[in-house]
mmCIF file of all heavy atoms in Angstrom:
data_model
loop_
_atom_site.group_PDB
_atom_site.id
_atom_site.type_symbol
_atom_site.label_atom_id
_atom_site.label_comp_id
_atom_site.label_asym_id
_atom_site.label_seq_id
_atom_site.Cartn_x
_atom_site.Cartn_y
_atom_site.Cartn_z
ATOM 1 N N MET R 1 169.652 52.819 194.209
ATOM 2 C CA MET R 1 170.901 52.488 194.856
ATOM 3 C C MET R 1 171.393 53.702 195.659
ATOM 4 O O MET R 1 171.519 54.816 195.152
ATOM 5 C CB MET R 1 171.916 52.116 193.744
ATOM 6 C CG MET R 1 173.316 51.953 194.297
ATOM 7 S SD MET R 1 174.516 51.902 192.965
ATOM 8 C CE MET R 1 175.145 50.297 193.193
ATOM 9 N N ALA R 2 171.618 53.512 196.958
ATOM 10 C CA ALA R 2 172.000 54.581 197.840
ATOM 11 C C ALA R 2 173.471 54.910 197.649
ATOM 12 O O ALA R 2 174.280 54.016 197.406
ATOM 13 C CB ALA R 2 171.741 54.219 199.276
ATOM 14 N N LYS R 3 173.826 56.151 197.706
ATOM 15 C CA LYS R 3 175.204 56.618 197.610
ATOM 16 C C LYS R 3 175.623 57.274 198.874
ATOM 17 O O LYS R 3 174.803 57.943 199.554
ATOM 18 C CB LYS R 3 175.407 57.635 196.447
ATOM 19 C CG LYS R 3 175.000 57.108 195.107
ATOM 20 C CD LYS R 3 176.087 56.210 194.568
ATOM 21 C CE LYS R 3 175.680 55.743 193.162
ATOM 22 N NZ LYS R 3 176.517 54.730 192.659
ATOM 23 N N ASP R 4 176.830 57.099 199.255
ATOM 24 C CA ASP R 4 177.346 57.772 200.493
ATOM 25 C C ASP R 4 177.973 59.083 200.091
ATOM 26 O O ASP R 4 178.748 59.141 199.101
ATOM 27 C CB ASP R 4 178.381 56.915 201.221
ATOM 28 C CG ASP R 4 177.723 55.821 202.002
ATOM 29 O OD1 ASP R 4 176.629 56.013 202.516
ATOM 30 O OD2 ASP R 4 178.407 54.769 202.202
ATOM 31 N N VAL R 5 177.754 60.142 200.794
ATOM 32 C CA VAL R 5 178.498 61.364 200.626
ATOM 33 C C VAL R 5 179.371 61.518 201.901
ATOM 34 O O VAL R 5 178.822 61.552 202.992
ATOM 35 C CB VAL R 5 177.490 62.611 200.533
ATOM 36 C CG1 VAL R 5 178.310 63.903 200.522
ATOM 37 C CG2 VAL R 5 176.623 62.466 199.337
ATOM 38 N N LEU R 6 180.661 61.526 201.667
ATOM 39 C CA LEU R 6 181.558 61.570 202.795
ATOM 40 C C LEU R 6 182.078 63.037 203.043
ATOM 41 O O LEU R 6 182.210 63.797 202.055
ATOM 42 C CB LEU R 6 182.794 60.678 202.478
ATOM 43 C CG LEU R 6 182.447 59.257 202.194
ATOM 44 C CD1 LEU R 6 183.687 58.415 201.883
ATOM 45 C CD2 LEU R 6 181.684 58.615 203.432
ATOM 46 N N CYS R 7 182.256 63.348 204.284
ATOM 47 C CA CYS R 7 182.671 64.697 204.678
ATOM 48 C C CYS R 7 183.528 64.604 205.953
ATOM 49 O O CYS R 7 183.162 63.868 206.878
ATOM 50 C CB CYS R 7 181.462 65.527 204.898
ATOM 51 S SG CYS R 7 181.874 67.210 205.454
ATOM 52 N N GLU R 8 184.633 65.345 206.039
ATOM 53 C CA GLU R 8 185.458 65.276 207.213
ATOM 54 C C GLU R 8 185.240 66.497 208.125
ATOM 55 O O GLU R 8 185.891 66.653 209.112
ATOM 56 C CB GLU R 8 186.937 65.284 206.766
ATOM 57 C CG GLU R 8 187.255 64.007 206.051
ATOM 58 C CD GLU R 8 188.741 63.940 205.621
ATOM 59 O OE1 GLU R 8 189.424 64.968 205.829
ATOM 60 O OE2 GLU R 8 189.164 62.915 205.156
ATOM 61 N N VAL R 9 184.285 67.364 207.813
ATOM 62 C CA VAL R 9 184.013 68.605 208.573
ATOM 63 C C VAL R 9 183.166 68.317 209.807
ATOM 64 O O VAL R 9 181.908 68.353 209.737
ATOM 65 C CB VAL R 9 183.453 69.713 207.728
ATOM 66 C CG1 VAL R 9 183.303 71.036 208.509
ATOM 67 C CG2 VAL R 9 184.272 69.934 206.457
ATOM 68 N N GLN R 10 183.805 67.916 210.885
ATOM 69 C CA GLN R 10 183.062 67.431 212.066
ATOM 70 C C GLN R 10 182.207 68.477 212.778
ATOM 71 O O GLN R 10 181.347 68.123 213.544
ATOM 72 C CB GLN R 10 184.012 66.763 213.091
ATOM 73 C CG GLN R 10 184.658 65.543 212.511
ATOM 74 C CD GLN R 10 185.606 64.888 213.507
ATOM 75 O OE1 GLN R 10 185.620 65.224 214.646
ATOM 76 N NE2 GLN R 10 186.379 63.940 213.017
ATOM 77 N N ASN R 11 182.435 69.773 212.479
ATOM 78 C CA ASN R 11 181.622 70.753 213.125
ATOM 79 C C ASN R 11 180.425 71.209 212.274
ATOM 80 O O ASN R 11 179.775 72.203 212.556
ATOM 81 C CB ASN R 11 182.481 71.989 213.466
ATOM 82 C CG ASN R 11 182.971 72.773 212.324
ATOM 83 O OD1 ASN R 11 183.319 72.207 211.269
ATOM 84 N ND2 ASN R 11 182.917 74.105 212.443
ATOM 85 N N CYS R 12 180.088 70.399 211.255
ATOM 86 C CA CYS R 12 178.901 70.690 210.447
ATOM 87 C C CYS R 12 177.701 69.955 211.072
ATOM 88 O O CYS R 12 177.866 68.827 211.583
ATOM 89 C CB CYS R 12 179.094 70.185 208.994
ATOM 90 S SG CYS R 12 177.639 70.497 207.951
ATOM 91 N N GLN R 13 176.527 70.583 211.069
ATOM 92 C CA GLN R 13 175.366 69.994 211.674
ATOM 93 C C GLN R 13 174.963 68.705 210.970
ATOM 94 O O GLN R 13 174.348 67.815 211.527
ATOM 95 C CB GLN R 13 174.220 70.977 211.629
ATOM 96 C CG GLN R 13 173.007 70.636 211.026
ATOM 97 C CD GLN R 13 171.938 71.684 211.088
ATOM 98 O OE1 GLN R 13 172.122 72.811 211.558
ATOM 99 N NE2 GLN R 13 170.778 71.406 210.632
ATOM 100 N N PHE R 14 175.363 68.494 209.704
ATOM 101 C CA PHE R 14 175.015 67.274 208.980
ATOM 102 C C PHE R 14 176.092 66.165 209.062
ATOM 103 O O PHE R 14 175.924 65.114 208.448
ATOM 104 C CB PHE R 14 174.755 67.604 207.521
ATOM 105 C CG PHE R 14 173.614 68.595 207.341
ATOM 106 C CD1 PHE R 14 173.890 69.903 206.902
ATOM 107 C CD2 PHE R 14 172.328 68.274 207.636
ATOM 108 C CE1 PHE R 14 172.872 70.838 206.811
ATOM 109 C CE2 PHE R 14 171.315 69.228 207.524
ATOM 110 C CZ PHE R 14 171.566 70.475 207.074
ATOM 111 N N TRP R 15 177.175 66.382 209.769
ATOM 112 C CA TRP R 15 178.221 65.384 209.900
ATOM 113 C C TRP R 15 177.735 64.226 210.778
ATOM 114 O O TRP R 15 177.126 64.427 211.820
ATOM 115 C CB TRP R 15 179.470 65.980 210.537
ATOM 116 C CG TRP R 15 180.614 65.035 210.583
ATOM 117 C CD1 TRP R 15 181.517 64.812 209.561
ATOM 118 C CD2 TRP R 15 181.015 64.182 211.647
ATOM 119 N NE1 TRP R 15 182.411 63.853 209.973
ATOM 120 C CE2 TRP R 15 182.102 63.467 211.250
ATOM 121 C CE3 TRP R 15 180.474 63.966 212.942
ATOM 122 C CZ2 TRP R 15 182.772 62.528 212.088
ATOM 123 C CZ3 TRP R 15 181.108 63.038 213.755
ATOM 124 C CH2 TRP R 15 182.249 62.358 213.323
ATOM 125 N N SER R 16 177.957 62.987 210.273
ATOM 126 C CA SER R 16 177.547 61.774 211.018
ATOM 127 C C SER R 16 178.765 60.900 211.194
ATOM 128 O O SER R 16 179.748 61.004 210.447
ATOM 129 C CB SER R 16 176.432 61.005 210.274
ATOM 130 O OG SER R 16 175.259 61.785 210.279
ATOM 131 N N GLN R 17 178.598 59.930 212.078
ATOM 132 C CA GLN R 17 179.725 58.952 212.303
ATOM 133 C C GLN R 17 180.222 58.353 210.975
ATOM 134 O O GLN R 17 179.392 58.177 210.027
ATOM 135 C CB GLN R 17 179.278 57.840 213.201
ATOM 136 C CG GLN R 17 179.350 58.162 214.679
ATOM 137 C CD GLN R 17 179.121 56.935 215.514
ATOM 138 O OE1 GLN R 17 178.302 56.049 215.178
ATOM 139 N NE2 GLN R 17 179.735 56.894 216.648
ATOM 140 N N GLY R 18 181.471 58.071 210.932
ATOM 141 C CA GLY R 18 182.056 57.500 209.718
ATOM 142 C C GLY R 18 182.262 58.511 208.602
ATOM 143 O O GLY R 18 182.378 58.155 207.446
ATOM 144 N N ASN R 19 182.286 59.771 208.979
ATOM 145 C CA ASN R 19 182.517 60.930 208.017
ATOM 146 C C ASN R 19 181.405 60.867 206.936
ATOM 147 O O ASN R 19 181.639 61.155 205.752
ATOM 148 C CB ASN R 19 183.861 60.831 207.367
ATOM 149 C CG ASN R 19 184.979 61.258 208.310
ATOM 150 O OD1 ASN R 19 184.726 61.849 209.322
ATOM 151 N ND2 ASN R 19 186.191 60.828 208.032
ATOM 152 N N ARG R 20 180.193 60.625 207.372
ATOM 153 C CA ARG R 20 179.071 60.627 206.401
ATOM 154 C C ARG R 20 178.288 61.902 206.549
ATOM 155 O O ARG R 20 178.050 62.413 207.613
ATOM 156 C CB ARG R 20 178.174 59.440 206.651
ATOM 157 C CG ARG R 20 178.853 58.088 206.433
ATOM 158 C CD ARG R 20 177.958 57.051 206.022
ATOM 159 N NE ARG R 20 178.404 55.703 205.718
ATOM 160 C CZ ARG R 20 179.613 55.226 205.553
ATOM 161 N NH1 ARG R 20 180.595 55.996 205.640
ATOM 162 N NH2 ARG R 20 179.788 53.990 205.249
ATOM 163 N N CYS R 21 177.739 62.406 205.412
ATOM 164 C CA CYS R 21 176.878 63.569 205.410
ATOM 165 C C CYS R 21 175.449 63.122 205.489
ATOM 166 O O CYS R 21 175.030 62.234 204.707
ATOM 167 C CB CYS R 21 177.089 64.378 204.146
ATOM 168 S SG CYS R 21 176.081 65.882 204.038
ATOM 169 N N SER R 22 174.698 63.673 206.443
ATOM 170 C CA SER R 22 173.319 63.233 206.647
ATOM 171 C C SER R 22 172.302 64.204 206.036
ATOM 172 O O SER R 22 171.111 64.064 206.282
ATOM 173 C CB SER R 22 173.043 63.064 208.137
ATOM 174 O OG SER R 22 173.125 64.341 208.809
ATOM 175 N N ALA R 23 172.744 65.251 205.261
ATOM 176 C CA ALA R 23 171.856 66.193 204.687
ATOM 177 C C ALA R 23 170.988 65.497 203.587
ATOM 178 O O ALA R 23 171.447 64.553 202.961
ATOM 179 C CB ALA R 23 172.670 67.335 204.023
ATOM 180 N N ASP R 24 169.785 65.957 203.402
ATOM 181 C CA ASP R 24 168.843 65.434 202.398
ATOM 182 C C ASP R 24 169.356 65.789 201.001
ATOM 183 O O ASP R 24 169.090 65.010 200.054
ATOM 184 C CB ASP R 24 167.440 65.946 202.606
ATOM 185 C CG ASP R 24 166.801 65.414 203.842
ATOM 186 O OD1 ASP R 24 167.167 64.328 204.323
ATOM 187 O OD2 ASP R 24 165.946 66.143 204.430
ATOM 188 N N ALA R 25 170.032 66.902 200.866
ATOM 189 C CA ALA R 25 170.537 67.297 199.548
ATOM 190 C C ALA R 25 171.869 68.037 199.740
ATOM 191 O O ALA R 25 172.093 68.609 200.838
ATOM 192 C CB ALA R 25 169.545 68.250 198.834
ATOM 193 N N ILE R 26 172.755 68.002 198.759
ATOM 194 C CA ILE R 26 174.004 68.690 198.866
ATOM 195 C C ILE R 26 174.061 69.750 197.781
ATOM 196 O O ILE R 26 173.688 69.525 196.619
ATOM 197 C CB ILE R 26 175.188 67.718 198.582
ATOM 198 C CG1 ILE R 26 175.076 66.481 199.515
ATOM 199 C CG2 ILE R 26 176.528 68.394 198.739
ATOM 200 C CD1 ILE R 26 175.152 66.729 200.992
ATOM 201 N N TYR R 27 174.491 70.979 198.179
ATOM 202 C CA TYR R 27 174.594 72.087 197.214
ATOM 203 C C TYR R 27 176.036 72.514 197.128
ATOM 204 O O TYR R 27 176.620 73.021 198.100
ATOM 205 C CB TYR R 27 173.689 73.236 197.703
ATOM 206 C CG TYR R 27 173.649 74.475 196.817
ATOM 207 C CD1 TYR R 27 173.732 74.345 195.477
ATOM 208 C CD2 TYR R 27 173.577 75.721 197.452
ATOM 209 C CE1 TYR R 27 173.718 75.515 194.701
ATOM 210 C CE2 TYR R 27 173.499 76.857 196.629
ATOM 211 C CZ TYR R 27 173.623 76.745 195.260
ATOM 212 O OH TYR R 27 173.594 77.873 194.496
ATOM 213 N N VAL R 28 176.656 72.303 195.991
ATOM 214 C CA VAL R 28 178.004 72.661 195.730
ATOM 215 C C VAL R 28 178.082 73.791 194.726
ATOM 216 O O VAL R 28 177.376 73.728 193.699
ATOM 217 C CB VAL R 28 178.839 71.442 195.207
ATOM 218 C CG1 VAL R 28 180.253 71.778 194.934
ATOM 219 C CG2 VAL R 28 178.793 70.332 196.249
ATOM 220 N N VAL R 29 178.900 74.809 194.999
ATOM 221 C CA VAL R 29 179.025 75.958 194.094
ATOM 222 C C VAL R 29 180.448 76.072 193.612
ATOM 223 O O VAL R 29 181.407 75.575 194.243
ATOM 224 C CB VAL R 29 178.551 77.260 194.763
ATOM 225 C CG1 VAL R 29 177.099 77.194 195.098
ATOM 226 C CG2 VAL R 29 179.414 77.559 195.970
ATOM 227 N N SER R 30 180.679 76.766 192.505
ATOM 228 C CA SER R 30 181.972 76.986 191.911
ATOM 229 C C SER R 30 182.308 78.481 192.023
ATOM 230 O O SER R 30 181.474 79.338 191.725
ATOM 231 C CB SER R 30 181.995 76.554 190.443
ATOM 232 O OG SER R 30 183.165 77.008 189.834
ATOM 233 N N HIS R 31 183.546 78.803 192.349
ATOM 234 C CA HIS R 31 184.045 80.168 192.374
ATOM 235 C C HIS R 31 184.426 80.587 190.971
ATOM 236 O O HIS R 31 184.676 81.803 190.746
ATOM 237 C CB HIS R 31 185.278 80.324 193.247
ATOM 238 C CG HIS R 31 185.050 79.859 194.650
ATOM 239 N ND1 HIS R 31 184.322 80.570 195.554
ATOM 240 C CD2 HIS R 31 185.441 78.771 195.337
ATOM 241 C CE1 HIS R 31 184.288 79.932 196.700
ATOM 242 N NE2 HIS R 31 184.934 78.827 196.605
ATOM 243 N N ALA R 32 184.547 79.674 190.046
ATOM 244 C CA ALA R 32 185.040 79.943 188.713
ATOM 245 C C ALA R 32 183.990 80.029 187.658
ATOM 246 O O ALA R 32 184.212 79.967 186.472
ATOM 247 C CB ALA R 32 186.056 78.846 188.311
ATOM 248 N N GLY R 33 182.670 80.192 188.069
ATOM 249 C CA GLY R 33 181.564 80.221 187.125
ATOM 250 C C GLY R 33 181.011 78.832 186.951
ATOM 251 O O GLY R 33 181.032 78.030 187.923
ATOM 252 N N ALA R 34 180.429 78.575 185.805
ATOM 253 C CA ALA R 34 179.698 77.318 185.629
ATOM 254 C C ALA R 34 180.567 76.077 185.532
ATOM 255 O O ALA R 34 180.136 74.958 185.717
ATOM 256 C CB ALA R 34 178.838 77.438 184.346
ATOM 257 N N THR R 35 181.873 76.293 185.326
ATOM 258 C CA THR R 35 182.780 75.148 185.216
ATOM 259 C C THR R 35 183.981 75.294 186.086
ATOM 260 O O THR R 35 184.680 76.338 186.092
ATOM 261 C CB THR R 35 183.320 75.027 183.722
ATOM 262 O OG1 THR R 35 182.195 74.933 182.851
ATOM 263 C CG2 THR R 35 184.189 73.832 183.543
ATOM 264 N N ALA R 36 184.250 74.300 186.961
ATOM 265 C CA ALA R 36 185.409 74.317 187.797
ATOM 266 C C ALA R 36 186.450 73.381 187.238
ATOM 267 O O ALA R 36 186.116 72.328 186.666
ATOM 268 C CB ALA R 36 185.016 73.866 189.223
ATOM 269 N N THR R 37 187.688 73.665 187.467
ATOM 270 C CA THR R 37 188.750 72.801 186.963
ATOM 271 C C THR R 37 189.423 72.021 188.095
ATOM 272 O O THR R 37 190.225 71.111 187.826
ATOM 273 C CB THR R 37 189.822 73.604 186.223
ATOM 274 O OG1 THR R 37 190.378 74.595 187.075
ATOM 275 C CG2 THR R 37 189.228 74.262 184.951
ATOM 276 N N SER R 38 189.144 72.351 189.352
ATOM 277 C CA SER R 38 189.709 71.633 190.472
ATOM 278 C C SER R 38 188.774 71.746 191.666
ATOM 279 O O SER R 38 187.967 72.668 191.723
ATOM 280 C CB SER R 38 191.082 72.102 190.831
ATOM 281 O OG SER R 38 191.074 73.359 191.399
ATOM 282 N N SER R 39 188.983 70.917 192.664
ATOM 283 C CA SER R 39 188.097 70.984 193.866
ATOM 284 C C SER R 39 188.356 72.224 194.671
ATOM 285 O O SER R 39 187.465 72.708 195.413
ATOM 286 C CB SER R 39 188.360 69.772 194.756
ATOM 287 O OG SER R 39 189.681 69.694 195.153
ATOM 288 N N THR R 40 189.487 72.874 194.543
ATOM 289 C CA THR R 40 189.814 74.097 195.257
ATOM 290 C C THR R 40 188.901 75.244 194.750
ATOM 291 O O THR R 40 188.814 76.326 195.461
ATOM 292 C CB THR R 40 191.259 74.546 195.156
ATOM 293 O OG1 THR R 40 191.607 74.709 193.819
ATOM 294 C CG2 THR R 40 192.154 73.499 195.818
ATOM 295 N N GLU R 41 188.273 75.138 193.623
ATOM 296 C CA GLU R 41 187.381 76.185 193.070
ATOM 297 C C GLU R 41 185.970 75.959 193.477
ATOM 298 O O GLU R 41 185.070 76.675 192.964
ATOM 299 C CB GLU R 41 187.519 76.199 191.526
ATOM 300 C CG GLU R 41 188.865 76.630 190.992
ATOM 301 C CD GLU R 41 188.945 76.614 189.517
ATOM 302 O OE1 GLU R 41 188.035 76.057 188.844
ATOM 303 O OE2 GLU R 41 189.942 77.159 188.992
ATOM 304 N N THR R 42 185.712 74.999 194.358
ATOM 305 C CA THR R 42 184.334 74.717 194.768
ATOM 306 C C THR R 42 184.147 74.820 196.254
ATOM 307 O O THR R 42 185.126 74.762 197.049
ATOM 308 C CB THR R 42 183.908 73.266 194.332
ATOM 309 O OG1 THR R 42 184.742 72.354 194.999
ATOM 310 C CG2 THR R 42 184.043 73.124 192.849
ATOM 311 N N ASP R 43 182.932 74.994 196.719
ATOM 312 C CA ASP R 43 182.544 74.996 198.130
ATOM 313 C C ASP R 43 181.218 74.263 198.341
ATOM 314 O O ASP R 43 180.310 74.308 197.421
ATOM 315 C CB ASP R 43 182.384 76.428 198.610
ATOM 316 C CG ASP R 43 183.622 77.150 199.007
ATOM 317 O OD1 ASP R 43 184.584 76.416 199.479
ATOM 318 O OD2 ASP R 43 183.708 78.335 198.760
ATOM 319 N N CYS R 44 181.053 73.692 199.481
ATOM 320 C CA CYS R 44 179.779 73.028 199.872
ATOM 321 C C CYS R 44 178.958 74.098 200.585
ATOM 322 O O CYS R 44 179.187 74.484 201.697
ATOM 323 C CB CYS R 44 180.014 71.868 200.768
ATOM 324 S SG CYS R 44 178.496 71.087 201.357
ATOM 325 N N LYS R 45 177.900 74.573 199.920
ATOM 326 C CA LYS R 45 176.978 75.549 200.507
ATOM 327 C C LYS R 45 175.994 74.910 201.469
ATOM 328 O O LYS R 45 175.254 75.620 202.159
ATOM 329 C CB LYS R 45 176.255 76.306 199.376
ATOM 330 C CG LYS R 45 177.081 77.285 198.675
ATOM 331 C CD LYS R 45 177.536 78.421 199.567
ATOM 332 C CE LYS R 45 178.215 79.467 198.733
ATOM 333 N NZ LYS R 45 178.557 80.614 199.604
ATOM 334 N N THR R 46 175.954 73.585 201.584
ATOM 335 C CA THR R 46 175.117 72.880 202.493
ATOM 336 C C THR R 46 175.622 73.037 203.922
ATOM 337 O O THR R 46 174.821 72.902 204.874
ATOM 338 C CB THR R 46 175.026 71.403 202.098
ATOM 339 O OG1 THR R 46 174.667 71.308 200.714
ATOM 340 C CG2 THR R 46 173.985 70.671 202.936
ATOM 341 N N PHE R 47 176.923 73.318 204.122
ATOM 342 C CA PHE R 47 177.499 73.406 205.408
ATOM 343 C C PHE R 47 176.708 74.375 206.325
ATOM 344 O O PHE R 47 176.438 75.494 205.998
ATOM 345 C CB PHE R 47 178.966 73.858 205.313
ATOM 346 C CG PHE R 47 179.593 74.209 206.673
ATOM 347 C CD1 PHE R 47 180.042 73.166 207.456
ATOM 348 C CD2 PHE R 47 179.613 75.475 207.163
ATOM 349 C CE1 PHE R 47 180.594 73.448 208.694
ATOM 350 C CE2 PHE R 47 180.168 75.776 208.429
ATOM 351 C CZ PHE R 47 180.689 74.780 209.195
ATOM 352 N N GLN R 48 176.470 73.885 207.570
ATOM 353 C CA GLN R 48 175.884 74.714 208.636
ATOM 354 C C GLN R 48 176.626 74.260 209.926
ATOM 355 O O GLN R 48 176.717 73.123 210.242
ATOM 356 C CB GLN R 48 174.412 74.454 208.810
ATOM 357 C CG GLN R 48 173.569 74.937 207.680
ATOM 358 C CD GLN R 48 172.091 74.692 207.830
ATOM 359 O OE1 GLN R 48 171.618 74.436 208.989
ATOM 360 N NE2 GLN R 48 171.325 74.702 206.809
ATOM 361 N N PRO R 49 177.161 75.244 210.665
ATOM 362 C CA PRO R 49 177.892 74.886 211.876
ATOM 363 C C PRO R 49 176.987 74.277 212.868
ATOM 364 O O PRO R 49 175.906 74.664 213.002
ATOM 365 C CB PRO R 49 178.443 76.228 212.389
ATOM 366 C CG PRO R 49 177.939 77.316 211.515
ATOM 367 C CD PRO R 49 177.147 76.670 210.373
ATOM 368 N N SER R 50 177.510 73.272 213.532
ATOM 369 C CA SER R 50 176.778 72.631 214.573
ATOM 370 C C SER R 50 176.819 73.464 215.849
ATOM 371 O O SER R 50 177.723 74.236 216.012
ATOM 372 C CB SER R 50 177.297 71.223 214.892
ATOM 373 O OG SER R 50 178.651 71.263 215.243
ATOM 374 N N GLU R 51 175.848 73.363 216.672
ATOM 375 C CA GLU R 51 175.752 74.262 217.857
ATOM 376 C C GLU R 51 176.201 73.513 219.079
ATOM 377 O O GLU R 51 176.228 72.424 219.303
ATOM 378 C CB GLU R 51 174.294 74.739 218.010
ATOM 379 C CG GLU R 51 173.988 75.550 216.828
ATOM 380 C CD GLU R 51 172.570 76.224 216.902
ATOM 381 O OE1 GLU R 51 172.123 76.385 218.038
ATOM 382 O OE2 GLU R 51 172.066 76.596 215.892
#
């Protein structure tokens, strides 16, 4: 079953129409160690600026 990964960062090289992420894999990290308590403690390391 395919899942959609949605993203609003239009200047990312993996951004596609409909706010979809076209990356083969998504890498998310936490600033708080192994456990995050909110989305503000995380970042998408998959992001690459589009040219």
Side-chain angles (χ1 to χ4, degrees):
M1 173 191 243
K3 301 283 183 189
D4 282 331
V5 175
L6 301 178
C7 177
E8 296 180 353
V9 184
Q10 295 182 10
N11 69 320
C12 181
Q13 125 178 5
F14 300 111
W15 185 85
S16 294
Q17 277 189 327
N19 288 341
R20 297 211 179 345
C21 180
S22 65
D24 291 334
I26 307 299
Y27 180 36
V28 178
V29 296
S30 169
H31 303 286
T35 304
T37 58
S38 70
S39 61
T40 59
E41 295 179 347
T42 63
D43 278 326
C44 177
K45 287 292 188 178
T46 308
F47 172 80
Q48 292 180 19
S50 55
E51 297 186 22

